[in-house]
Amino acid sequence: MEEARGEGQENIKNGTIKKLAILTGGGDCPGLNAVIRAAVKTACYRGIEVIGIQDGFRGAVEGDFRTLGLKDVSGILPRGGTILGTTNRDNPFAYPTLVEGTLQIQDRSEEVLGRFKAEGIDALIAIGGDGSLSIALEFAKKGLNVVGVPKTIDNDLMATDLTFGFQTAVATAQDALDRLHTTAESHHRIMILEVMGRYAGWIALYAGVAGGADVILIPEVPYQLESIAKAVKRRADQGKHFSIIVVAEGAKPFGGEMVVERTMQGRTDPIKLGGIGAKLAAELEVLTAMETRVTVLGHLQRGGSPIAVDRVLSTRYGVAAVEAALDKDYGMMVALQGQVIVRVPIEEAVHQLKKVVTDDPVLLAARSMGIELGD
Ligand code: F6P
């Protein structure tokens, strides 16, 4: 792993790069526009043309390109979503294609490579999570010059301390917990907040600590219902007749399974999690005889304006991605390690998720202060 040379400095070699393409793939998250803006500004400053690809890899297959200039990125720093659109379907290596009236799954990757060549694109900046960066890696193996930028509210990408969007999602969940506290206290209820995160518990853990939750349930620590009920009763014995529970969508009981809302074929991950909050509420009402309500925070965690720390991180990632392309350091993903932006092989970031480990400092802090983790 190598430190990024010249993050924000003028010591980068601008070889022969003339044209960069940029796309956003997978689920959206706050900060995508901030990355696009930083990349476009950095490129334009050096006289490099930028091509925006619409709707992730779909646009790469269909040739849905547009030039991105300074005017296009003006005012987008605080905007949620992505001006380029995105999708968590449409993998060019297994692309649904209509052939004589029937839908067939075809490998269209060669077409993408041909189109990039014809357009004179020197390198692609792919902003994505595990799914999109895995596709980017396949293209890198076929010779495409790729630089990755780690995106996802889930913070589950390996090789980086933080993905952008995560801290904004945590802030949104923390705000929800603050609000749930007051109504929980008034009504002497158990309030459950179900948050996103897929198979990792980062959002639940950080939001739970930031929002003063009494119980935090994450996929990495399977729970026992009795432990949660005991914690709620313990609080009642201390005169606190309400409890706040934050549960990650991927949390599961000891020896049990995650709750799947539905499976959707054609997506990079066909499994859509959801419903654990309602399941827990029904079970806890029986065990504790306390009224219980559930809030599923859902896509509120993905929408809206990035908070300041995410704007800064996204900006640093956007700048560093262009600098990596200028250095012709391809097949790499920009990443945050400690306080420093580094470049790591995309291969190190994908195929294996970064999960909360048992000695994670935030998890240990939660345990030390008596927050119930359900185990
Ligand atoms: O990966 C980001 C994420 O928001 C997950 O936390 C969640 O499980 C999933 O995407 C939801 O996907 P969709 O956009 O299909 O609802």
Side-chain angles (χ1 to χ4, degrees), residues 292-305:
T292 305
R293 296 288 186 268
V294 188
T295 302
V296 180
L297 201 50
H299 294 80
L300 289 175
Q301 292 156 98
R302 295 239 301 259
S305 192

Side-chain angles (χ1 to χ4, degrees), residues 88 152-154 196-198 249 267 272 299 302:
N88 39 22
T152 168
I153 61 163
D154 304 335
M196 284 183 167
R198 282 207 305 170
E249 62 183 357
R267 290 164 37 116
K272 175 143 176 48
H299 294 80
R302 295 239 301 259

Side-chain angles (χ1 to χ4, degrees), residues 26-29 88 151-154 156 195-199 203 249 261-262 264 267 269 271-274 298-299 301-302:
D28 69 346
C29 82
N88 39 22
K151 166 244 63 162
T152 168
I153 61 163
D154 304 335
D156 60 357
V195 297
M196 284 183 167
R198 282 207 305 170
Y199 310 113
I203 299 177
E249 62 183 357
E261 187 192 294
R262 58 192 145 130
M264 291 183 278
R267 290 164 37 116
D269 179 1
I271 291 172
K272 175 143 176 48
L273 296 169
H299 294 80
Q301 292 156 98
R302 295 239 301 259

Side-chain angles (χ1 to χ4, degrees), residues 67-363:
T67 302
L68 284 182
L70 290 177
K71 270 196 185 155
D72 300 294
V73 297
S74 178
I76 68 169
L77 177 62
R79 262 172 65 183
T82 159
I83 59 164
L84 290 175
T86 188
T87 171
N88 39 22
R89 300 173 172 273
D90 299 341
N91 176 354
F93 292 88
Y95 195 82
T97 308
L98 211 53
V99 183
E100 290 166 7
T102 18
L103 210 56
Q104 291 183 6
I105 302 299
Q106 291 189 346
D107 181 351
R108 308 272 300 267
S109 58
E110 285 298 330
E111 259 175 78
V112 173
L113 293 174
R115 180 165 288 116
F116 272 53
K117 206 169 172 197
E119 294 278 343
I121 293 168
D122 297 299
L124 168 69
I125 295 177
I127 310 171
D130 184 56
S132 309
L133 291 182
S134 297
I135 297 170
L137 180 62
E138 288 312 302
F139 274 116
K141 286 180 182 162
K142 291 191 96 168
L144 190 70
N145 298 330
V146 179
V147 177
V149 178
K151 166 244 63 162
T152 168
I153 61 163
D154 304 335
N155 199 34
D156 60 357
L157 269 179
M158 292 295 272
T160 186
D161 291 350
L162 283 175
T163 54
F164 73 86
F166 166 66
Q167 296 177 95
T168 303
V170 168
T172 302
Q174 173 243 294
D175 179 58
L177 287 171
D178 289 350
R179 290 167 190 277
L180 289 173
H181 255 103
T182 58
T183 173
E185 192 167 10
S186 312
H187 284 270
H188 319 297
R189 282 173 170 162
I190 299 173
M191 285 290 184
I192 299 176
L193 180 69
E194 179 180 318
V195 297
M196 284 183 167
R198 282 207 305 170
Y199 310 113
W202 298 107
I203 299 177
L205 176 61
Y206 275 65
V209 169
D214 307 301
V215 180
I216 300 175
L217 305 174
I218 60 174
E220 295 87 342
V221 183
Y223 66 81
Q224 321 239 23
L225 210 51
E226 294 69 27
S227 306
I228 306 169
K230 265 190 205 153
V232 168
K233 284 185 180 147
R234 217 165 36 236
R235 281 178 54 79
D237 293 344
Q238 293 163 355
K240 294 174 186 165
H241 297 283
F242 70 97
S243 283
I244 303 291
I245 300 176
V246 58
V247 59
E249 62 183 357
K252 53 180 183 224
F254 193 76
E257 295 300 325
M258 295 181 183
V259 181
V260 175
E261 187 192 294
R262 58 192 145 130
T263 39
M264 291 183 278
Q265 294 313 320
R267 290 164 37 116
T268 32
D269 179 1
I271 291 172
K272 175 143 176 48
L273 296 169
I276 182 72
K279 174 176 145 66
L280 259 181
E283 293 166 342
L284 280 176
E285 268 194 344
V286 173
L287 269 182
T288 63
M290 275 177 79
E291 253 192 336
T292 305
R293 296 288 186 268
V294 188
T295 302
V296 180
L297 201 50
H299 294 80
L300 289 175
Q301 292 156 98
R302 295 239 301 259
S305 192
I307 59 172
V309 283
D310 261 336
R311 293 185 196 189
V312 174
L313 182 62
S314 304
T315 299
R316 291 178 74 193
Y317 278 156
V319 171
V322 173
E323 289 176 344
L326 289 172
D327 271 348
K328 299 199 161 103
D329 207 359
Y330 298 127
M332 306 296 271
M333 180 186 84
V334 295
L336 185 75
Q337 290 181 358
Q339 297 296 318
V340 185
I341 302 285
V342 299
R343 297 171 193 166
V344 296
I346 296 177
E347 207 136 18
E348 285 181 16
V350 297
H351 302 321
Q352 196 196 335
L353 295 178
K354 180 182 73 184
K355 299 208 179 171
V356 179
V357 288
T358 44
D359 61 349
D360 178 89
V362 179
L363 190 78

